[in-house]
Amino acid sequence: AFCAVNASHQVKGYGTKLMNLLKNEAIVRGIEYFITYADNYAIGYFKKQGFTKAIAMPKSRYTGLIKDYDGGTMMECYVHPSIDYTRVPEMIAAQRKFIIDRIRLRANSHKVYPPLPKDFQPRLDGSSRGNESAALAMAIPGMAEAGWTLQDLVSSTGQGKEADRAKNALKSELLAVIRKIDEQQFAWPFRQPVDTTEVKDYLEVVKTPMDLSTIEKMIRKGDHYKSKQMLYADLMLMVNNCKLYNDEKSTYVSCAMSLEKFIMPLSLK
């Protein structure tokens, strides 16, 4: 089935509404899983609808019932039998309200302090030149009550802040590289680890497996990659693993060569 929506009516929730109605019908019919192949333009939509690239459904239940597509990404959605999917917005709103109400029991964000007087002169006893700015901020009424400490303010400025900024900038840059690679048609063999239950001799040939999902996890942890060169090394490890295990005339090696050409101009070296 295919649904085409006029451009002026897109991004208005029609796709989500149709998917939720389909899920409710699946519950009535006793269907537990949806499995689909998504192209690069559809992955984002299916993620919003609860689909994931991790397939939990036993393979024996769908083998032979869905056609494989080169360049497509298999995605799965578990249809929970106790959820009324047409009421998902109401459930999320109720959950949000519950969380906010619980936070308000402990928070003081509702408390409003009067403006500082023009002649405000806080006492800075015990402060040094290095933490004078933090001490001034701590003297403002409400700062301590909000949970701030002098050490918190000191660590959020100066060299510590600069180091965090550089680290976050590198992390964002590396994630952007991985996203660009993941969007390419030739990326499909590298998105997930090789299933060694099916390819039983893979680890006998490839001693250090690598894939895009593993690389992304290491980037998000924030401590593994110290430079672009380290990311480039793992990407090339992934390429070389593919060339090592597969026949040079195979589709897999063709994808590996396309990936190698793609990452060359990314200034990773």
Side-chain angles (χ1 to χ4, degrees), residues 189-194 209-216 218 225 234-235 238 241:
F190 309 106
R191 288 185 175 123
Q192 299 294 329
V194 173
M210 189 56 65
D211 65 275
L212 290 175
S213 67
T214 299
I215 290 174
E216 183 177 353
M218 291 192 292
Y225 293 106
D234 274 351
L235 290 172
M238 193 168 65
N241 285 347

Side-chain angles (χ1 to χ4, degrees), residues 9-213:
H9 288 85
Q10 290 180 1
V11 198
K12 291 188 176 181
Y14 297 148
T16 298
K17 180 71 173 179
L18 287 171
M19 183 63 72
N20 287 339
L21 289 170
L22 181 61
K23 289 176 181 177
N24 274 10
E25 181 63 23
I27 292 171
V28 173
R29 300 190 181 203
I31 297 172
E32 293 181 279
Y33 295 94
F34 288 161
I35 289 184
T36 187
Y37 270 96
D39 62 26
N40 291 332
Y41 298 102
I43 289 175
Y45 165 76
F46 282 111
K47 280 184 176 180
K48 291 178 183 177
Q49 307 309 318
F51 284 72
T52 175
K53 296 177 185 178
I55 309 298
M57 182 180 181
K59 191 171 183 179
S60 60
R61 292 176 60 179
Y62 64 84
T63 299
L65 299 177
I66 184 169
K67 182 180 178 182
D68 291 335
Y69 289 93
D70 288 347
T73 300
M74 181 180 280
M75 301 186 75
E76 172 194 279
C77 178
Y78 174 66
V79 183
H80 201 288
S82 65
I83 294 178
D84 181 353
Y85 286 93
T86 60
R87 296 185 61 248
V88 166
E90 296 174 40
M91 290 188 287
I92 293 175
Q95 291 170 349
R96 183 174 185 273
K97 182 179 182 302
F98 174 81
I99 292 171
I100 291 175
D101 288 344
R102 298 298 295 178
I103 291 173
R104 284 175 177 163
L105 295 176
R106 300 177 63 91
N108 291 315
S109 57
H110 61 282
K111 188 173 181 180
V112 179
Y113 291 86
L116 297 178
K118 292 182 179 180
D119 58 348
F120 179 66
Q121 293 290 336
R123 294 182 61 184
L124 302 178
D125 298 340
S127 65
S128 63
R129 181 175 295 179
N131 64 10
E132 185 177 353
S133 296
L136 282 168
M138 281 301 300
I140 297 173
M143 288 294 289
E145 290 81 353
W148 286 93
T149 66
L150 184 64
Q151 186 58 41
D152 290 334
L153 294 174
V154 170
S155 63
S156 66
T157 59
Q159 294 181 348
K161 189 174 181 180
E162 288 298 323
D164 287 341
R165 186 181 293 116
K167 182 178 177 181
N168 290 331
L170 177 63
K171 181 179 177 179
S172 298
E173 199 169 350
L174 299 186
L175 285 173
V177 171
I178 296 303
R179 280 194 295 271
K180 285 183 181 178
I181 294 173
D182 190 61
E183 291 170 357
Q184 307 308 309
Q185 291 287 346
F186 52 73
W188 62 270
F190 309 106
R191 288 185 175 123
Q192 299 294 329
V194 173
D195 187 349
T196 54
T197 61
E198 291 188 6
V199 190
K200 298 186 182 297
D201 65 337
Y202 186 76
L203 295 179
E204 296 175 11
V205 179
V206 175
K207 303 304 180 185
T208 310
M210 189 56 65
D211 65 275
L212 290 175
S213 67

